[in-house]
């Protein structure tokens, strides 16, 4: 198994109620806040970012989460809030656009799911379809359809959930990077801090406690932490570690979920006055036994994947590292292998692949036999690769955009083929490209070069407006990236990708 990098119980929203029993589980406690005397207690379970159903050594997954939920529901009143970021980037999502995840989440019975930029990875229409399949509401107050000026079809701006400790309001904001990183021309993203107004509206509707979920928008944290109408602010983050901080009855959390985790909040209240925060825990899911029923459900999907993907296609004679930092901050052997395969397939002058296309977050030892499953896991998006012609000036501008995202490990970082780039990252953004050569010649700003690149980049995605090319559009031809890679490996049998100096830093 590969290793990855770093009263009534149940639901109260009116969708359905569940009663279950389970042995007690151990959790890592933050340190409880002194509870107020109350007539009822409520547990709020929160998690996010669980797109891949495949088991990974040392990590917890949906079956472990099911055990936690069953335990908490057996103990008493429980809400399950899902932070989203789970419908794309998984191996199976490439085939069904996340439908399997909705099927599995329906079994876990969340009271709501926040919508993140990642959940729109397959576009607006696919997310709307998933919302119709779900037996729980999708929530986002800031994802606006430009055609109607209202929240996108299939989404709700907020949720108001009845519980024995009072009404719990939930609001969420999607990351503004959605419109930069994804091709969603019909979507407008309002500033995340505007959900403060939605939180106040929930208070006016009778909410006793308000939870705000923030999709990877740290710039809005300070303003929202200071908003009196928000009691708990939970931010999703792609880097760092899980954090919970309680102060004066308010809660702030950062959920990274690198190893599979959940937050458990405990509230005490009488259903009239605002409930008191009695404690907050970070639960490492890997420490819980898997729920047999959910493990069986997941196993059905894994068996389907095995039929499709457990086919050997090649061997890597060298070690490979596809962890997030490795593919978003510098030259990477696996990314170079992909770029070279793209250029070879289209016979272009150069090729670009952005690090955000690579999602496996794994390490492979030298001598590893690679399967279709490995390639599908690493390259889960259904974007096609096309060949376009672009001036050298545009290529240099693109490399400047690439360099600007290194500090934040943005997925826009470009890996080239048949090109050598020297950066000076100490220089200000826009002045970090020192030199560029194509083959053995300096990049000529006036010469037009043939370039193989993802259709997504050719539409200006990830901030690459200078790469926008006529004719580039969803479904406008080309070949799926993972198919190019699978054929490249099959044709060669054994590959030996290495760091060869195509990206260096002064």
């Amino acid at each position: 198994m590969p290793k990855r990098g770093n009263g009534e119980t149940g639901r109260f929203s009116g969708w359905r109620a569940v009663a279950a029993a389970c042995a007690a589980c151990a959790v890592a406690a933050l340190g409880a806040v002194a509870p107020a005397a109350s007539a009822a207690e409520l547990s709020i379970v929160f998690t996010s970012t669980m797109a891949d159903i495949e088991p990974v050594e040392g990590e917890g997954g949906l079956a472990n989460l099911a055990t936690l939920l069953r335990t908490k529901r057996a103990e008493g009143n429980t809400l399950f809030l899902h932070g989203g970021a789970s419908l794309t980037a998984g191996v199976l999502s490439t085939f069904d656009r996340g439908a399997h995840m909705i099927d599995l989440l329906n079994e876990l019975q969340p009271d709501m799911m926040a919508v993140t930029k990642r959940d729109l990875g397959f576009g607006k229409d696919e997310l709307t379809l998933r919302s119709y399949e779900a037996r729980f509401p999708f929530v986002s107050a800031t994802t606006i359809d430009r055609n109607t000026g209202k929240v996108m079809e299939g989404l709700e701006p907020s949720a108001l959930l009845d519980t024995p400790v009072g009404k719990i309001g939930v609001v969420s904001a999607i990351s503004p990077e959605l419109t930069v990183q994804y091709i969603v021309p019909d979507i407008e993203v309002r500033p995340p801090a505007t959900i403060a107004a939605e939180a106040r509206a929930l208070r006016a509707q009778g909410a006793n406690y308000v939870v705000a979920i923030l999709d990877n928008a740290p710039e809005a944290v300070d303003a929202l932490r200071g908003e009196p109408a928000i009691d708990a602010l939970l931010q999703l983050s792609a880097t760092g570690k899980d954090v919970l901080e309680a102060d004066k009855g308010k809660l702030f959390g950062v959920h990274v979920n690198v190893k599979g985790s959940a937050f458990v909040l405990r509230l005490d209240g009488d259903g009239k006055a605002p409930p008191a925060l009695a404690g907050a825990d970070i639960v490492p899911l890997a420490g819980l036994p898997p729920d047999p029923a959910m493990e069986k459900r997941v196993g059905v999907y894994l068996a389907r994947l095995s039929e499709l993907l457990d086919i050997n296609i090649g061997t890597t004679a060298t070690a490979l590292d596809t962890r997030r930092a490795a593919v978003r901050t510098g030259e990477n052997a696996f990314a170079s292998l992909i770029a070279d395969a793209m250029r070879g397939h289209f016979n272009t002058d150069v090729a670009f692949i952005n690090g955000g296309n690579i999602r496996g977050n794994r390490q492979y030892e030298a001598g590893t036999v690679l399967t279709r499953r490995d390639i599908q896991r690493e390259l889960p998006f259904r974007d096609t690769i096309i060949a376009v012609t672009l001036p050298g000036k545009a290529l240099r501008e693109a490399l400047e955009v690439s360099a600007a995202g290194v500090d934040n490990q943005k997925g826009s970082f470009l890996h080239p083929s048949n090109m050598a780039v020297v950066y000076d990252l100490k220089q200000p953004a826009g002045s970090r490209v020192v030199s560029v050569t194509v083959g053995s010649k300096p990049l000529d700003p006036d010469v037009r070069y043939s370039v193989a690149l993802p259709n997504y980049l050719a539409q200006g995605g990830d901030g690459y407006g200078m790469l926008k090319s006529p004719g580039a559009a969803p479904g406008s031809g080309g070949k799926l990236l993972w198919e190019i890679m699978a054929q490249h490996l099959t044709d060669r049998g054994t590959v030996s990708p290495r760091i060869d100096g195509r990206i260096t830093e002064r």
Side-chain angles (χ1 to χ4, degrees):
M1 186 180 297
K3 295 182 180 179
R4 182 172 301 192
N6 2 346
E8 183 176 273
T9 60
R11 298 163 46 120
F12 309 99
S13 60
W15 294 76
R16 57 187 177 275
V18 176
C22 181
C25 64
V27 297
L30 166 73
V33 178
S38 62
E41 296 180 353
L42 174 71
S43 293
I44 299 177
V45 177
F46 174 84
T47 194
S48 69
T49 323
M50 302 180 75
D52 200 341
I53 63 172
E54 293 188 280
V56 178
E57 184 179 353
E59 295 191 18
L62 292 174
N64 310 90
L65 175 62
T67 295
L68 173 64
L69 290 168
R70 188 155 50 89
T71 300
K72 302 311 295 182
R73 287 165 175 163
E75 291 174 354
N77 307 310
T78 302
L79 288 181
F80 173 27
L81 309 183
H82 197 293
S86 295
L87 300 185
T88 66
V91 177
L92 191 51
S93 294
T94 304
F95 297 98
D96 70 4
R97 308 295 207 278
H100 71 285
M101 185 58 67
I102 295 300
D103 178 48
L104 295 171
L105 286 177
N106 280 338
E107 289 298 310
L108 294 177
Q109 305 170 74
D111 290 275
M112 56 73 64
M113 187 181 84
V115 172
T116 72
K117 61 180 180 180
R118 194 185 229 183
D119 298 314
L120 272 156
F122 293 123
K124 182 179 73 170
D125 293 342
E126 288 292 339
L127 182 62
T128 297
L129 288 174
R130 299 293 83 78
S131 74
Y132 294 154
E133 295 163 2
R135 297 199 293 270
F136 49 89
F138 284 14
V139 175
S140 176
T142 60
T143 307
I144 307 301
D145 189 326
R146 293 183 186 275
N147 299 310
T148 65
K150 299 179 181 179
V151 168
M152 195 189 99
E153 182 183 1
L155 311 187
E156 300 292 337
S158 62
L160 189 59
L161 312 171
D162 288 316
T163 82
V165 303
K167 292 184 177 181
I168 308 298
V170 187
V171 64
S172 78
I174 201 166
S175 171
E177 292 186 344
L178 168 69
T179 55
V180 176
Q181 296 180 353
Y182 295 90
I183 308 300
V184 284
D186 291 339
I187 296 296
E188 171 192 350
V189 176
R190 291 179 179 165
T194 60
I195 61 171
E198 191 68 34
R200 292 191 289 270
L202 285 169
R203 290 289 193 188
Q205 296 172 47
N208 302 91
Y209 193 91
V210 174
V211 178
I213 301 171
L214 190 58
D215 173 25
N216 199 24
E219 69 279 3
V221 166
D222 288 344
L224 293 176
R225 289 188 74 174
E227 169 54 49
I230 295 174
D231 299 287
L233 176 62
L234 304 177
Q235 181 197 351
L236 277 63
S237 178
T239 58
K241 62 180 181 179
D242 288 343
V243 173
L244 280 176
E245 299 174 355
D247 181 35
K248 298 179 181 178
K250 298 264 188 172
L251 185 76
F252 173 65
V254 178
H255 194 244
V256 181
N257 202 15
V258 173
K259 292 291 184 182
S261 65
F263 294 164
V264 177
L265 285 58
R266 297 186 302 281
L267 302 181
D268 289 341
D270 60 7
K272 299 176 182 179
L277 178 66
D281 306 325
I282 299 175
V283 183
L285 296 177
L288 305 178
D291 176 79
M294 179 54 66
E295 192 171 42
K296 184 176 181 180
R297 290 293 302 273
V298 172
V300 172
Y301 283 113
L302 292 177
R304 295 179 189 176
L305 275 178
S306 292
E307 294 175 2
L308 292 168
L309 301 177
D310 284 347
I311 302 170
N312 296 341
I313 56 174
T315 300
T316 176
T318 53
L320 301 175
D321 186 350
T322 67
R323 290 175 296 178
R324 182 185 181 89
V327 299
R328 297 185 179 210
T329 60
E331 184 178 352
N332 179 271
F334 184 73
S336 294
L337 176 66
I338 297 170
D340 290 346
M342 291 164 51
R343 186 171 65 89
H345 180 81
F346 286 97
N347 193 29
T348 53
D349 297 321
V350 296
F352 284 138
I353 184 67
N354 56 309
N357 250 309
I358 304 169
R359 295 285 179 158
N361 204 28
R362 283 158 166 77
Q363 293 175 284
Y364 302 85
E365 296 179 353
T368 296
V369 176
L370 299 172
T371 65
R372 283 186 176 271
R373 180 191 296 266
D374 293 321
I375 302 307
Q376 191 81 56
R377 181 194 298 118
E378 295 293 345
L379 306 170
F381 298 115
R382 291 187 62 85
D383 199 15
T384 55
I385 305 302
I386 62 174
V388 301
T389 303
L390 293 164
K393 179 183 178 181
L395 303 187
R396 189 180 183 99
E397 290 175 359
L399 292 170
E400 288 287 1
V401 173
S402 175
V406 169
D407 291 343
N408 295 321
Q409 296 184 16
K410 289 191 173 182
S412 54
F413 187 80
L414 294 177
H415 298 271
S417 176
N418 196 38
M419 176 181 282
V421 188
V422 178
Y423 290 114
D424 184 351
L425 299 181
K426 296 184 294 297
Q427 298 303 314
S431 303
R432 294 177 174 176
V433 176
V434 176
S435 66
V436 185
T437 57
V438 176
S440 58
K441 298 180 180 179
L443 179 73
D444 189 328
D446 298 320
V447 169
R448 298 187 68 84
Y449 297 88
S450 56
V451 185
L453 77 173
N455 196 326
Y456 161 70
L457 295 184
Q459 294 178 72
D462 254 348
Y464 286 109
M466 72 294 295
L467 299 181
K468 200 166 185 178
S469 303
S476 62
K479 189 167 184 178
L480 290 173
L481 177 56
W482 75 271
E483 291 180 339
I484 291 175
M485 271 296 292
Q487 190 62 54
H488 184 82
L489 289 168
T490 300
D491 290 345
R492 285 155 182 76
T494 299
V495 293
S496 303
R498 303 175 187 275
I499 302 297
D500 58 17
R502 64 183 71 186
I503 301 175
T504 57
E505 183 180 349
R506 175 178 289 181

